[in-house]
Protein backbone atom coordinates (compact mmCIF):
# COMPACT_ATOMS: atom_id res chain seq x y z
CA UNK A 1 0.00 0.00 0.00
CA UNK A 2 2.84 2.37 0.85
CA UNK A 3 4.45 1.73 -2.54
CA UNK A 4 1.23 2.68 -4.35
CA UNK A 5 0.78 5.99 -2.53
CA UNK A 6 3.54 7.91 -4.39
CA UNK A 7 2.15 6.71 -7.74
CA UNK A 8 -1.31 7.86 -6.76
CA UNK A 9 0.08 11.20 -5.66
CA UNK A 10 1.96 11.58 -8.95
CA UNK A 11 -1.17 10.72 -10.92
CA UNK A 12 -3.15 13.34 -9.01
CA UNK A 13 -0.39 15.89 -9.62
CA UNK A 14 -0.35 15.23 -13.38
CA UNK A 15 -4.14 15.27 -13.53
CA UNK A 16 -4.27 18.59 -11.70
CA UNK A 17 -1.63 20.07 -14.03
CA UNK A 18 -3.48 18.91 -17.15
CA UNK A 19 -6.77 20.26 -15.82
CA UNK A 20 -5.13 23.60 -15.06
CA UNK A 21 -3.60 23.76 -18.55
CA UNK A 22 -6.94 22.88 -20.16
CA UNK A 23 -8.66 25.61 -18.15
CA UNK A 24 -6.06 28.16 -19.27
CA UNK A 25 -6.51 27.14 -22.93
CA UNK A 26 -10.28 27.39 -22.63
CA UNK A 27 -10.01 30.81 -21.00
CA UNK A 28 -7.72 31.95 -23.81
CA UNK A 29 -10.25 30.76 -26.42
CA UNK A 30 -13.06 32.62 -24.67
CA UNK A 31 -10.95 35.77 -24.38
CA UNK A 32 -10.00 35.61 -28.07
CA UNK A 33 -13.65 35.16 -28.99
CA UNK A 34 -14.72 38.08 -26.82
CA UNK A 35 -11.90 40.22 -28.22
CA UNK A 36 -12.97 39.41 -31.81
CA UNK A 37 -16.61 40.18 -30.97
CA UNK A 38 -15.62 43.50 -29.37
CA UNK A 39 -13.62 44.37 -32.48
CA UNK A 40 -16.54 43.61 -34.80
CA UNK A 41 -18.99 45.50 -32.58
CA UNK A 42 -16.64 48.49 -32.58
CA UNK A 43 -16.61 48.46 -36.39
CA UNK A 44 -20.42 48.50 -36.43
CA UNK A 45 -20.43 51.78 -34.49
CA UNK A 46 -19.13 53.41 -37.66
CA UNK A 47 -20.90 53.63 -41.01
CA UNK A 48 -20.54 50.42 -43.02
CA UNK A 49 -18.68 50.89 -46.30
CA UNK A 50 -18.48 48.12 -48.88
CA UNK A 51 -15.04 46.93 -49.92
CA UNK A 52 -14.26 46.46 -53.61
CA UNK A 53 -14.67 42.72 -53.17
CA UNK A 54 -18.06 43.17 -51.52
CA UNK A 55 -19.19 45.63 -54.21
CA UNK A 56 -18.66 42.89 -56.77
CA UNK A 57 -21.47 40.96 -55.06
CA UNK A 58 -23.87 43.86 -55.63
CA UNK A 59 -22.75 44.96 -59.10
CA UNK A 60 -26.31 45.10 -60.37
CA UNK A 61 -27.58 47.25 -57.50
CA UNK A 62 -24.92 49.73 -56.38
CA UNK A 63 -25.30 51.98 -59.47
CA UNK A 64 -28.92 52.62 -58.46
CA UNK A 65 -29.26 55.76 -56.34
CA UNK A 66 -29.77 55.05 -52.63
CA UNK A 67 -29.52 51.28 -52.92
CA UNK A 68 -25.92 50.95 -51.72
CA UNK A 69 -26.76 52.96 -48.58
CA UNK A 70 -29.74 50.67 -47.91
CA UNK A 71 -27.51 47.61 -48.33
CA UNK A 72 -24.87 49.02 -45.96
CA UNK A 73 -27.49 49.94 -43.35
CA UNK A 74 -28.92 46.41 -43.49
CA UNK A 75 -25.46 44.88 -43.07
CA UNK A 76 -24.94 47.06 -40.01
CA UNK A 77 -28.33 46.20 -38.47
CA UNK A 78 -28.00 42.48 -39.18
CA UNK A 79 -24.42 42.53 -37.87
CA UNK A 80 -25.58 43.97 -34.57
CA UNK A 81 -28.07 41.13 -34.30
CA UNK A 82 -25.53 38.42 -35.12
CA UNK A 83 -22.89 39.75 -32.72
CA UNK A 84 -25.19 40.44 -29.77
CA UNK A 85 -24.33 38.44 -26.66
CA UNK A 86 -27.97 38.44 -25.58
CA UNK A 87 -31.09 37.32 -27.50
CA UNK A 88 -32.19 40.18 -29.75
CA UNK A 89 -35.32 40.42 -31.88
CA UNK A 90 -34.26 43.18 -34.29
CA UNK A 91 -31.88 43.04 -37.26
CA UNK A 92 -33.81 40.74 -39.58
CA UNK A 93 -34.19 41.83 -43.20
CA UNK A 94 -37.09 42.44 -45.61
CA UNK A 95 -36.24 42.70 -49.33
CA UNK A 96 -38.92 44.35 -51.45
CA UNK A 97 -39.06 43.99 -55.23
CA UNK A 98 -41.06 42.54 -58.10
CA UNK A 99 -40.55 39.19 -59.80
CA UNK A 100 -37.21 39.21 -61.58
CA UNK A 101 -35.93 42.29 -59.77
CA UNK A 102 -32.96 40.40 -58.29
CA UNK A 103 -34.16 39.83 -54.71
CA UNK A 104 -32.55 36.39 -54.48
CA UNK A 105 -29.22 37.67 -55.84
CA UNK A 106 -29.31 40.50 -53.30
CA UNK A 107 -30.10 38.12 -50.41
CA UNK A 108 -27.21 35.84 -51.36
CA UNK A 109 -24.86 38.83 -51.47
CA UNK A 110 -25.95 40.00 -48.02
CA UNK A 111 -25.38 36.57 -46.51
CA UNK A 112 -21.90 36.30 -48.03
CA UNK A 113 -20.88 39.75 -46.76
CA UNK A 114 -22.14 38.98 -43.25
CA UNK A 115 -20.30 35.65 -43.21
CA UNK A 116 -17.13 37.32 -44.45
CA UNK A 117 -17.25 40.16 -41.92
CA UNK A 118 -18.59 38.39 -38.83
CA UNK A 119 -18.26 34.67 -39.58
CA UNK A 120 -22.04 34.52 -39.12
CA UNK A 121 -24.62 33.35 -40.03
CA UNK A 122 -23.51 29.73 -40.28
CA UNK A 123 -23.58 27.94 -43.63
CA UNK A 124 -26.88 26.21 -42.89
CA UNK A 125 -29.08 28.44 -45.05
CA UNK A 126 -32.66 27.40 -45.83
CA UNK A 127 -34.97 28.83 -48.51
CA UNK A 128 -38.72 28.25 -48.71
CA UNK A 129 -41.86 29.88 -50.12
CA UNK A 130 -44.33 31.37 -47.64
CA UNK A 131 -47.23 29.11 -48.65
CA UNK A 132 -45.08 25.98 -48.28
CA UNK A 133 -43.88 27.10 -44.84
CA UNK A 134 -47.53 27.20 -43.73
CA UNK A 135 -47.70 23.41 -44.21
CA UNK A 136 -44.42 22.62 -42.44
CA UNK A 137 -43.48 21.81 -38.86
CA UNK A 138 -42.04 25.29 -38.26
CA UNK A 139 -40.09 24.34 -35.14
CA UNK A 140 -38.43 21.37 -36.85
CA UNK A 141 -37.57 23.41 -39.95
CA UNK A 142 -36.21 26.29 -37.86
CA UNK A 143 -34.03 23.90 -35.85
CA UNK A 144 -32.37 22.75 -39.09
CA UNK A 145 -31.17 26.28 -39.88
CA UNK A 146 -30.64 27.46 -36.29
CA UNK A 147 -27.64 29.76 -36.11
CA UNK A 148 -27.74 30.13 -39.88
CA UNK A 149 -30.25 31.91 -42.09
CA UNK A 150 -33.85 31.29 -43.14
CA UNK A 151 -34.95 32.97 -46.39
CA UNK A 152 -38.71 33.14 -46.94
CA UNK A 153 -39.72 33.92 -50.52
CA UNK A 154 -43.26 35.12 -51.37
CA UNK A 155 -43.63 36.17 -47.73
CA UNK A 156 -47.05 37.67 -48.46
CA UNK A 157 -48.45 34.12 -48.55
CA UNK A 158 -47.61 33.47 -44.88
CA UNK A 159 -50.62 32.70 -42.67
CA UNK A 160 -51.33 34.42 -39.35
CA UNK A 161 -50.62 31.19 -37.48
CA UNK A 162 -47.24 30.79 -39.20
CA UNK A 163 -46.23 34.41 -38.51
CA UNK A 164 -47.13 34.12 -34.80
CA UNK A 165 -45.40 30.73 -34.41
CA UNK A 166 -42.27 31.94 -36.17
CA UNK A 167 -42.20 35.10 -34.07
CA UNK A 168 -42.35 33.10 -30.82
CA UNK A 169 -39.59 30.74 -31.97
CA UNK A 170 -37.39 33.72 -32.90
CA UNK A 171 -37.98 35.24 -29.45
CA UNK A 172 -36.46 32.15 -27.81
CA UNK A 173 -33.59 31.71 -30.25
CA UNK A 174 -30.31 31.93 -28.34
CA UNK A 175 -28.26 31.57 -31.54
CA UNK A 176 -29.78 34.62 -33.26
CA UNK A 177 -30.70 32.97 -36.55
CA UNK A 178 -31.08 35.55 -39.32
CA UNK A 179 -34.44 35.63 -41.13
CA UNK A 180 -34.83 37.30 -44.54
CA UNK A 181 -38.28 37.75 -46.11
CA UNK A 182 -38.75 38.58 -49.80
CA UNK A 183 -41.74 39.74 -51.84
CA UNK A 184 -43.17 42.69 -53.71
CA UNK A 185 -44.40 45.74 -51.78
CA UNK A 186 -47.93 44.42 -51.39
CA UNK A 187 -46.71 41.01 -50.20
CA UNK A 188 -44.26 42.42 -47.61
CA UNK A 189 -46.90 44.84 -46.31
CA UNK A 190 -49.34 41.97 -45.90
CA UNK A 191 -46.78 39.75 -44.12
CA UNK A 192 -45.81 42.49 -41.66
CA UNK A 193 -49.45 43.37 -40.97
CA UNK A 194 -50.22 39.83 -39.75
CA UNK A 195 -48.70 40.28 -36.31
CA UNK A 196 -47.13 43.28 -34.57
CA UNK A 197 -44.39 41.30 -32.81
CA UNK A 198 -43.45 39.59 -36.06
CA UNK A 199 -43.25 42.94 -37.88
CA UNK A 200 -40.97 44.51 -35.22
CA UNK A 201 -38.31 41.91 -35.94
CA UNK A 202 -37.72 43.15 -39.51
CA UNK A 203 -36.03 46.46 -38.86
CA UNK A 204 -33.83 46.33 -41.98
CA UNK A 205 -35.56 46.95 -45.32
CA UNK A 206 -34.18 47.15 -48.85
CA UNK A 207 -36.46 48.21 -51.70
CA UNK A 208 -35.37 47.39 -55.25
CA UNK A 209 -37.01 50.06 -57.41
CA UNK A 210 -38.52 49.67 -60.85
CA UNK A 211 -35.60 50.27 -63.18
CA UNK A 212 -35.44 52.92 -65.87
CA UNK A 213 -34.47 51.89 -69.40
CA UNK A 214 -31.04 53.49 -68.89
CA UNK A 215 -30.47 51.48 -65.69
CA UNK A 216 -31.48 48.29 -67.50
CA UNK A 217 -29.05 49.04 -70.33
CA UNK A 218 -26.26 49.66 -67.79
CA UNK A 219 -27.10 46.34 -66.17
CA UNK A 220 -26.83 44.69 -69.58
CA UNK A 221 -23.37 46.22 -70.08
CA UNK A 222 -22.24 45.03 -66.65
CA UNK A 223 -23.65 41.54 -67.22
CA UNK A 224 -21.86 41.30 -70.56
CA UNK A 225 -18.58 42.47 -68.99
CA UNK A 226 -18.90 39.87 -66.21
CA UNK A 227 -19.13 37.22 -68.92
CA UNK A 228 -16.13 38.52 -70.85
CA UNK A 229 -17.94 40.58 -73.49
CA UNK A 230 -18.32 44.24 -74.37
CA UNK A 231 -21.21 45.94 -76.17
CA UNK A 232 -20.35 48.30 -78.98
CA UNK A 233 -22.30 51.45 -79.84
CA UNK A 234 -24.64 49.69 -82.26
CA UNK A 235 -25.24 47.00 -79.66
CA UNK A 236 -26.25 49.60 -77.05
CA UNK A 237 -28.76 51.13 -79.47
CA UNK A 238 -30.15 47.67 -80.15
CA UNK A 239 -30.53 47.11 -76.39
CA UNK A 240 -32.53 50.31 -75.98
CA UNK A 241 -34.79 49.25 -78.84
CA UNK A 242 -35.25 45.72 -77.51
CA UNK A 243 -36.00 46.83 -73.94
CA UNK A 244 -38.49 49.45 -75.11
CA UNK A 245 -40.24 46.80 -77.21
CA UNK A 246 -40.90 44.54 -74.20
CA UNK A 247 -42.01 47.27 -71.78
CA UNK A 248 -45.62 46.80 -70.68
CA UNK A 249 -47.95 48.95 -68.63
CA UNK A 250 -49.02 46.06 -66.38
CA UNK A 251 -45.48 44.76 -65.73
CA UNK A 252 -42.16 46.61 -65.59
CA UNK A 253 -39.06 45.20 -67.28
CA UNK A 254 -36.77 43.55 -64.74
CA UNK A 255 -33.18 42.39 -64.59
CA UNK A 256 -34.10 38.83 -65.56
CA UNK A 257 -35.61 40.14 -68.81
CA UNK A 258 -32.36 41.90 -69.69
CA UNK A 259 -30.36 38.83 -68.63
CA UNK A 260 -32.32 36.73 -71.15
CA UNK A 261 -31.64 39.30 -73.89
CA UNK A 262 -27.92 39.33 -73.05
CA UNK A 263 -27.68 35.53 -72.84
CA UNK A 264 -29.16 35.32 -76.33
CA UNK A 265 -26.70 37.94 -77.65
CA UNK A 266 -23.72 36.25 -75.95
CA UNK A 267 -24.67 32.88 -77.41
CA UNK A 268 -24.78 34.35 -80.92
CA UNK A 269 -21.52 36.23 -80.42
CA UNK A 270 -19.74 33.13 -79.14
CA UNK A 271 -20.47 31.08 -82.26
CA UNK A 272 -17.95 30.93 -85.08
CA UNK A 273 -18.84 30.52 -88.73
CA UNK A 274 -16.81 30.19 -91.93
CA UNK A 275 -17.45 33.81 -92.88
CA UNK A 276 -17.53 35.33 -89.41
CA UNK A 277 -14.87 34.84 -86.76
CA UNK A 278 -15.06 35.93 -83.14
CA UNK A 279 -13.54 39.36 -82.58
CA UNK A 280 -11.65 40.68 -79.55
CA UNK A 281 -10.86 44.21 -78.48
CA UNK A 282 -7.47 45.39 -77.23
CA UNK A 283 -8.15 43.94 -73.79
CA UNK A 284 -9.03 40.55 -75.31
Amino acid sequence: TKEEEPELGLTQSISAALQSAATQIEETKVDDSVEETDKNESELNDKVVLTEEEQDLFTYFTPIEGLEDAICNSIRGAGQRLLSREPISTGNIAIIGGNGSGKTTLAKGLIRVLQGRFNKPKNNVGRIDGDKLNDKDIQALYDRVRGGCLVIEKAGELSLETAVSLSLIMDNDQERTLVIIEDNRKGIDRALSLNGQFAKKFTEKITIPVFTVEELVNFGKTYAADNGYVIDEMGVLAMYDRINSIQRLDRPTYLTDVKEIMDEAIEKASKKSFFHRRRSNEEG
Side-chain angles (χ1 to χ4, degrees), residues 107-131:
K108 288 179 180 178
L110 289 169
I111 293 169
R112 287 183 62 182
V113 170
L114 291 169
Q115 288 175 332
R117 284 180 175 242
F118 314 120
N119 202 29
K120 296 177 181 180
K122 297 176 185 176
N123 288 325
N124 44 323
V125 177
R127 182 181 300 275
I128 190 170
D129 285 351
D131 61 336

Side-chain angles (χ1 to χ4, degrees), residues 234-255:
M234 290 299 295
V236 172
L237 292 175
M239 279 186 64
Y240 273 104
D241 183 63
R242 183 77 179 274
I243 291 170
N244 280 319
S245 70
I246 63 174
Q247 291 272 29
R248 300 205 312 261
L249 290 175
D250 60 332
R251 180 188 176 279
T253 303
Y254 290 118
L255 300 183

